[in-house]
Amino acid sequence: MGLFSRMKVRMIEPEHALSGRAEAIQVTAPHFVLGTPIEPPFPEQMELALFGMGCFWGAEKTFWQIDGGGVDAVGYAGGYTPHPTYEEVCSARTGHNEVVRVVFDPAVVSYETILAAFWEGHDPTQGMRQGNDVGTQYRSGVYTYSEEQRAIAEASRDAYQEPLTAAGLGEITTEIEPAGEFYYAEDYHQQYLAKVPNGYCGLGGTGVSCPVGVAGA
């Protein structure tokens, strides 16, 4: 692994992160597939979920196909730089992860069901990479909005480790952290694989099913 690659898989210290900007990146269009707004306000009954699972182009498609998933958007989270650009995130100098935020109705689809799609949609044992995509922006992460979500996420991680181990795979490296600020990605990233059906998707799951219901929810 070259020097640049080694730098990309090492989390930057906050004091060395890029300074970013005060202005938010403008999101100008509704969801390309669902036709609904991807910015708040959302209906009162909706809840948020936030995941990093590799390149967000392929990751987002996983969630807009879930019935009851509401609406999704791609962006950046888990780092330090305010309102980063895609190029800045790719530099590994912001600390951010490429993420998908899912707005869902818990009366229609449970958080655990969405988590199962997350686990099965990528390989959570790869550290700072996903397939051929290498860097801190491709790490596996669950970013939680409540203590209940955290407990469910940790329980599902522990339950999923058992079949992964049985299949000969390694330890889950997914970080489970409180959700901080979510910064929208640029318009051209939103629902990318619907706009560019033959576009790049570097995700591939392990083929191991994730048990649902492990936390009794």
Side-chain angles (χ1 to χ4, degrees):
M1 183 182 291
L3 175 61
F4 183 65
S5 295
R6 289 198 298 272
M7 290 174 62
K8 288 199 72 175
V9 298
R10 190 175 302 157
M11 279 293 288
I12 195 165
E13 296 296 329
E15 61 270 22
H16 296 142
L18 297 175
S19 58
R21 58 202 46 81
E23 303 79 18
I25 290 173
Q26 296 301 307
V27 180
T28 60
H31 196 285
F32 187 79
V33 177
L34 305 175
T36 50
I38 64 174
E39 293 183 285
F42 301 117
E44 189 174 296
Q45 77 275 16
M46 306 300 272
E47 296 184 8
L48 301 177
L50 190 63
F51 306 106
M53 48 190 291
C55 176
F56 53 19
W57 291 347
E60 186 182 19
K61 186 176 181 179
T62 297
F63 297 107
W64 79 56
Q65 298 179 109
I66 297 176
D67 290 337
V71 68
D72 46 81
V74 296
Y76 314 114
Y80 313 112
T81 300
H83 304 292
T85 66
Y86 179 65
E87 290 74 17
E88 288 172 342
V89 172
C90 288
S91 75
R93 297 178 63 200
T94 71
H96 285 298
N97 201 356
E98 292 189 20
V99 296
V100 182
R101 187 179 68 180
V102 184
V103 184
F104 67 101
D105 185 346
V108 179
V109 60
S110 70
Y111 182 60
E112 283 195 323
T113 297
I114 295 173
L115 267 172
F118 160 77
W119 293 120
E120 294 174 3
H122 74 304
D123 184 344
T125 71
Q126 294 194 331
M128 297 296 184
R129 61 184 289 263
Q130 197 62 210
N132 292 326
D133 294 323
V134 178
T136 56
Q137 78 201 72
Y138 302 116
R139 64 192 187 270
S140 177
V142 180
Y143 306 100
T144 60
Y145 287 94
S146 66
E147 282 299 306
E148 180 182 19
Q149 282 194 358
R150 181 195 58 77
I152 293 172
E154 290 178 349
S156 68
R157 175 200 59 199
D158 296 345
Y160 195 38
Q161 184 64 67
E162 295 183 22
L164 287 177
T165 300
L169 295 168
E171 292 293 314
I172 290 173
T173 60
T174 304
E175 62 181 16
I176 299 177
E177 303 287 349
E181 189 75 28
F182 170 80
Y183 298 106
Y184 285 93
E186 297 83 346
D187 267 349
Y188 73 94
H189 291 299
Q190 305 294 339
Q191 299 84 60
Y192 178 83
L193 288 184
K195 299 170 184 174
V196 187
N198 296 320
Y200 172 76
C201 177
L203 291 187
T206 62
V208 179
S209 296
C210 176
V212 177
V214 295

